[in-house]
Amino acid sequence: YRRPGVSRDGRTLFVPSADRHLYALDASTGLIGWRFAADAPVLSQPLVTPELVVFIAGERLLAVHAASGELAWAVPGRGFSAGRAGCDGERVYTAAADGFARAHDLRTGREAWSHRMVSGDLHRVTLYSGWDDVITLGAGVVLAATVSGTEALEAATGAPRWTLPGSTMYPPTVVLGDGTALFTTERGLLTRVGLADGGTVWQAALGVGVQNAGLAVAGDSAWVASADGQFVRVRLADGREQGSVRYTLAQCYSAPAVTGDTLVAGDQDGVVHGLRLPADPQGPGPYG
C-alpha cells in the first residue's frame, strides 16, 4: 500500500493497492465504500479533489469520481509513477518514468503541455526521471523533481523558470505561505528557496540521511525526520539547528505530519509515534 488520500471532510480514505485496485474506505469504520479495478498495480499516492480522485496505475493516468468510484477519464501511454499529482483546481500536474512532466485538464484529462526533464536511453530515462515525485505548486510554478534536481515550471505553459540541483525527489517538498519552499535532499541538505526566482534564502546541512521521510512545519520550526529515527528541529527564519530527538531505533521512510500540537511519524517496525511539540517556539530546544 502507498500513502492514502483523504477526502476534504475527512470521512473517506482512498487507499491505493498493488492488488490492482483503488479502495474507498469509511474512515470511521474501515468498511469499503467502493473499489475500482485499475488493471495494473496502483503504486502512486492518490490526489483527492472535491469531485475526483486522480492516480496512476501502470502507465495510465486515471481519474475516478470520489463519490462512486466510476471512471471519469483515463490517459494511456505514460510512464510508471509512484509519486503524487499536484492540482490547482484547473489542471493536474504529474511526473513519470518516461522522463516527462505534464499538465492535464482536471475535468477532461486533455493534455495542456508536456516538458521533457530527462533524456537518453530507456534505462537512464526510467531510472533518473521523476517516477517517485510528489508534485507541489506555488507562486505560479509547478515543482517537479528528479533524482538530480528540481525544476520550477510555469504552471500555464510548462516553460522552465529555474532549477535547484540535488537529489530532492524522495523527501516531499514543502511550500510555505510566504512565497518560499523547503527542499530536502536524501542526504539531509535542507534549502529554503524563493519560488519566484529560485534564489536561496538559506541552506542547512543536517548530517543525517532523510531518504523518503522529509519534514513537517509547525510554528517557526521545521521538523526533519531522518531515516535512522531522529527528528532534527530547524528554525525557519535562518536554518539554524535547534536540537534533535530520537523517537525510535527503527528505520523511518515515511513523511511526518503535524496535527494540533502533536508531531506524528511512523517507523518500519509498524509503530506510529505522537510527539508533543514544545509550547514555546522560542525555547532552548526540542521539548525544552
Side-chain angles (χ1 to χ4, degrees), residues 50-83:
E51 296 181 356
L52 299 175
V53 183
V54 181
F55 59 99
I56 295 174
E59 296 187 348
R60 290 199 303 164
L61 177 66
L62 301 163
V64 299
H65 293 283
S68 64
E70 295 179 352
L71 181 66
W73 50 260
V75 179
R78 299 164 41 87
F80 157 82
S81 176

Short mmCIF file of all heavy atoms in Angstrom, two decimals, residues 50-83:
data_model
loop_
_atom_site.label_atom_id
_atom_site.label_comp_id
_atom_site.label_asym_id
_atom_site.label_seq_id
_atom_site.Cartn_x
_atom_site.Cartn_y
_atom_site.Cartn_z
N PRO A 50 -12.40 17.79 -4.60
CA PRO A 50 -13.78 17.62 -4.12
C PRO A 50 -14.60 16.61 -4.91
O PRO A 50 -15.48 15.95 -4.35
CB PRO A 50 -14.36 19.04 -4.24
CG PRO A 50 -13.19 19.93 -4.05
CD PRO A 50 -12.05 19.22 -4.73
N GLU A 51 -14.32 16.46 -6.21
CA GLU A 51 -15.14 15.56 -7.03
C GLU A 51 -14.39 14.34 -7.54
O GLU A 51 -15.01 13.30 -7.79
CB GLU A 51 -15.71 16.34 -8.23
CG GLU A 51 -16.66 17.46 -7.84
CD GLU A 51 -17.21 18.19 -9.05
OE1 GLU A 51 -16.78 17.86 -10.18
OE2 GLU A 51 -18.07 19.08 -8.87
N LEU A 52 -13.08 14.42 -7.69
CA LEU A 52 -12.32 13.36 -8.35
C LEU A 52 -11.18 12.87 -7.48
O LEU A 52 -10.69 13.57 -6.60
CB LEU A 52 -11.76 13.86 -9.68
CG LEU A 52 -12.75 14.32 -10.75
CD1 LEU A 52 -11.99 14.89 -11.94
CD2 LEU A 52 -13.64 13.17 -11.20
N VAL A 53 -10.76 11.62 -7.76
CA VAL A 53 -9.54 11.05 -7.21
C VAL A 53 -8.64 10.72 -8.40
O VAL A 53 -9.05 9.98 -9.30
CB VAL A 53 -9.82 9.79 -6.38
CG1 VAL A 53 -8.51 9.28 -5.77
CG2 VAL A 53 -10.84 10.07 -5.30
N VAL A 54 -7.44 11.29 -8.43
CA VAL A 54 -6.52 11.14 -9.55
C VAL A 54 -5.33 10.32 -9.10
O VAL A 54 -4.74 10.57 -8.04
CB VAL A 54 -6.06 12.52 -10.07
CG1 VAL A 54 -5.12 12.34 -11.26
CG2 VAL A 54 -7.26 13.38 -10.45
N PHE A 55 -4.94 9.32 -9.91
CA PHE A 55 -3.83 8.45 -9.55
C PHE A 55 -3.28 7.80 -10.81
O PHE A 55 -3.86 7.92 -11.90
CB PHE A 55 -4.28 7.37 -8.55
CG PHE A 55 -5.39 6.49 -9.07
CD1 PHE A 55 -5.11 5.24 -9.60
CD2 PHE A 55 -6.72 6.91 -9.03
CE1 PHE A 55 -6.14 4.43 -10.09
CE2 PHE A 55 -7.74 6.11 -9.50
CZ PHE A 55 -7.45 4.87 -10.04
N ILE A 56 -2.14 7.11 -10.68
CA ILE A 56 -1.52 6.41 -11.80
C ILE A 56 -1.48 4.93 -11.50
O ILE A 56 -1.10 4.51 -10.40
CB ILE A 56 -0.11 6.95 -12.07
CG1 ILE A 56 -0.18 8.42 -12.52
CG2 ILE A 56 0.60 6.13 -13.14
CD1 ILE A 56 1.16 9.09 -12.67
N ALA A 57 -1.89 4.13 -12.46
CA ALA A 57 -1.82 2.68 -12.37
C ALA A 57 -1.13 2.18 -13.62
O ALA A 57 -1.61 2.43 -14.73
CB ALA A 57 -3.21 2.07 -12.24
N GLY A 58 0.01 1.48 -13.45
CA GLY A 58 0.78 1.10 -14.62
C GLY A 58 1.27 2.33 -15.35
O GLY A 58 1.95 3.17 -14.76
N GLU A 59 0.90 2.47 -16.62
CA GLU A 59 1.28 3.64 -17.40
C GLU A 59 0.07 4.50 -17.76
O GLU A 59 0.11 5.28 -18.71
CB GLU A 59 2.02 3.20 -18.67
CG GLU A 59 3.34 2.50 -18.37
CD GLU A 59 4.14 2.23 -19.61
OE1 GLU A 59 3.59 2.37 -20.73
OE2 GLU A 59 5.33 1.88 -19.48
N ARG A 60 -1.00 4.38 -16.98
CA ARG A 60 -2.19 5.20 -17.22
C ARG A 60 -2.40 6.19 -16.09
O ARG A 60 -2.28 5.85 -14.91
CB ARG A 60 -3.44 4.33 -17.34
CG ARG A 60 -3.50 3.48 -18.59
CD ARG A 60 -4.95 3.03 -18.86
NE ARG A 60 -5.52 2.29 -17.74
CZ ARG A 60 -6.83 2.06 -17.58
NH1 ARG A 60 -7.70 2.55 -18.46
NH2 ARG A 60 -7.27 1.36 -16.56
N LEU A 61 -2.74 7.43 -16.45
CA LEU A 61 -3.21 8.43 -15.50
C LEU A 61 -4.73 8.35 -15.48
O LEU A 61 -5.38 8.45 -16.52
CB LEU A 61 -2.76 9.83 -15.93
CG LEU A 61 -3.24 11.00 -15.07
CD1 LEU A 61 -2.62 10.94 -13.68
CD2 LEU A 61 -2.90 12.34 -15.75
N LEU A 62 -5.29 8.14 -14.28
CA LEU A 62 -6.72 7.88 -14.15
C LEU A 62 -7.37 8.89 -13.21
O LEU A 62 -6.75 9.35 -12.24
CB LEU A 62 -6.95 6.47 -13.59
CG LEU A 62 -6.39 5.32 -14.41
CD1 LEU A 62 -6.32 4.06 -13.56
CD2 LEU A 62 -7.25 5.09 -15.64
N ALA A 63 -8.63 9.19 -13.49
CA ALA A 63 -9.45 9.98 -12.59
C ALA A 63 -10.78 9.27 -12.40
O ALA A 63 -11.43 8.90 -13.39
CB ALA A 63 -9.68 11.39 -13.13
N VAL A 64 -11.17 9.05 -11.15
CA VAL A 64 -12.46 8.43 -10.86
C VAL A 64 -13.26 9.38 -9.99
O VAL A 64 -12.71 10.23 -9.27
CB VAL A 64 -12.29 7.07 -10.15
CG1 VAL A 64 -11.54 6.10 -11.04
CG2 VAL A 64 -11.59 7.22 -8.81
N HIS A 65 -14.58 9.24 -10.05
CA HIS A 65 -15.46 10.07 -9.23
C HIS A 65 -15.34 9.65 -7.77
O HIS A 65 -15.46 8.46 -7.44
CB HIS A 65 -16.90 9.96 -9.71
CG HIS A 65 -17.12 10.56 -11.07
ND1 HIS A 65 -17.20 11.92 -11.27
CD2 HIS A 65 -17.25 9.98 -12.29
CE1 HIS A 65 -17.38 12.16 -12.56
NE2 HIS A 65 -17.42 11.00 -13.20
N ALA A 66 -15.09 10.62 -6.90
CA ALA A 66 -14.85 10.32 -5.49
C ALA A 66 -16.06 9.68 -4.83
O ALA A 66 -15.92 8.82 -3.95
CB ALA A 66 -14.45 11.59 -4.74
N ALA A 67 -17.25 10.04 -5.24
CA ALA A 67 -18.46 9.54 -4.58
C ALA A 67 -18.78 8.11 -4.98
O ALA A 67 -19.27 7.32 -4.16
CB ALA A 67 -19.64 10.45 -4.92
N SER A 68 -18.49 7.74 -6.24
CA SER A 68 -18.95 6.44 -6.75
C SER A 68 -17.84 5.49 -7.18
O SER A 68 -18.08 4.29 -7.31
CB SER A 68 -19.88 6.67 -7.95
OG SER A 68 -19.16 7.28 -9.02
N GLY A 69 -16.64 6.01 -7.46
CA GLY A 69 -15.58 5.18 -7.99
C GLY A 69 -15.70 4.92 -9.47
O GLY A 69 -14.92 4.14 -10.03
N GLU A 70 -16.62 5.57 -10.16
CA GLU A 70 -16.76 5.40 -11.61
C GLU A 70 -15.68 6.20 -12.33
O GLU A 70 -15.29 7.29 -11.91
CB GLU A 70 -18.14 5.86 -12.07
CG GLU A 70 -19.28 5.02 -11.51
CD GLU A 70 -20.64 5.52 -11.98
OE1 GLU A 70 -20.67 6.61 -12.61
OE2 GLU A 70 -21.64 4.84 -11.73
N LEU A 71 -15.19 5.64 -13.44
CA LEU A 71 -14.13 6.27 -14.21
C LEU A 71 -14.62 7.57 -14.83
O LEU A 71 -15.67 7.62 -15.48
CB LEU A 71 -13.66 5.32 -15.31
CG LEU A 71 -12.52 5.84 -16.20
CD1 LEU A 71 -11.23 6.01 -15.39
CD2 LEU A 71 -12.30 4.89 -17.37
N ALA A 72 -13.85 8.64 -14.63
CA ALA A 72 -14.15 9.93 -15.26
C ALA A 72 -13.37 10.09 -16.55
O ALA A 72 -13.92 10.50 -17.57
CB ALA A 72 -13.83 11.08 -14.30
N TRP A 73 -12.07 9.79 -16.52
CA TRP A 73 -11.24 9.82 -17.72
C TRP A 73 -9.96 9.05 -17.47
O TRP A 73 -9.61 8.76 -16.33
CB TRP A 73 -10.95 11.25 -18.19
CG TRP A 73 -10.44 12.22 -17.16
CD1 TRP A 73 -11.17 13.16 -16.51
CD2 TRP A 73 -9.09 12.36 -16.68
NE1 TRP A 73 -10.37 13.88 -15.65
CE2 TRP A 73 -9.08 13.42 -15.74
CE3 TRP A 73 -7.89 11.71 -16.95
CZ2 TRP A 73 -7.93 13.82 -15.07
CZ3 TRP A 73 -6.73 12.10 -16.29
CH2 TRP A 73 -6.76 13.15 -15.37
N ALA A 74 -9.27 8.71 -18.56
CA ALA A 74 -8.01 7.97 -18.48
C ALA A 74 -7.09 8.45 -19.58
O ALA A 74 -7.53 8.74 -20.70
CB ALA A 74 -8.25 6.47 -18.62
N VAL A 75 -5.80 8.55 -19.26
CA VAL A 75 -4.77 8.93 -20.23
C VAL A 75 -3.77 7.78 -20.32
O VAL A 75 -3.04 7.53 -19.36
CB VAL A 75 -4.06 10.23 -19.83
CG1 VAL A 75 -2.99 10.59 -20.85
CG2 VAL A 75 -5.05 11.37 -19.66
N PRO A 76 -3.72 7.05 -21.43
CA PRO A 76 -2.80 5.91 -21.56
C PRO A 76 -1.42 6.34 -22.05
O PRO A 76 -1.20 7.50 -22.39
CB PRO A 76 -3.50 5.04 -22.60
CG PRO A 76 -4.18 6.05 -23.49
CD PRO A 76 -4.60 7.18 -22.60
N GLY A 77 -0.50 5.36 -22.08
CA GLY A 77 0.78 5.56 -22.74
C GLY A 77 1.76 6.46 -22.03
O GLY A 77 2.63 7.06 -22.65
N ARG A 78 1.65 6.57 -20.71
CA ARG A 78 2.59 7.37 -19.94
C ARG A 78 3.59 6.45 -19.25
O ARG A 78 3.49 5.24 -19.33
CB ARG A 78 1.83 8.18 -18.87
CG ARG A 78 0.80 9.15 -19.42
CD ARG A 78 -0.14 9.60 -18.34
NE ARG A 78 0.60 9.84 -17.11
CZ ARG A 78 1.18 11.00 -16.80
NH1 ARG A 78 1.10 12.01 -17.63
NH2 ARG A 78 1.84 11.14 -15.66
N GLY A 79 4.51 7.04 -18.52
CA GLY A 79 5.43 6.23 -17.75
C GLY A 79 4.86 5.89 -16.39
O GLY A 79 3.90 6.50 -15.90
N PHE A 80 5.46 4.87 -15.78
CA PHE A 80 5.12 4.47 -14.42
C PHE A 80 5.35 5.62 -13.44
O PHE A 80 6.24 6.43 -13.61
CB PHE A 80 5.99 3.27 -14.05
CG PHE A 80 6.18 3.06 -12.58
CD1 PHE A 80 5.22 2.43 -11.82
CD2 PHE A 80 7.34 3.52 -11.95
CE1 PHE A 80 5.42 2.24 -10.45
CE2 PHE A 80 7.54 3.33 -10.60
CZ PHE A 80 6.57 2.70 -9.85
N SER A 81 4.56 5.68 -12.37
CA SER A 81 4.78 6.66 -11.31
C SER A 81 4.33 6.10 -9.97
O SER A 81 3.29 5.47 -9.87
CB SER A 81 4.01 7.96 -11.59
OG SER A 81 4.17 8.86 -10.52
N ALA A 82 5.15 6.35 -8.95
CA ALA A 82 4.79 6.02 -7.57
C ALA A 82 4.65 7.28 -6.74
O ALA A 82 4.55 7.21 -5.52
CB ALA A 82 5.85 5.10 -6.95
N GLY A 83 4.66 8.44 -7.39
CA GLY A 83 4.54 9.70 -6.68
C GLY A 83 3.11 10.15 -6.54
O GLY A 83 2.19 9.34 -6.46
#
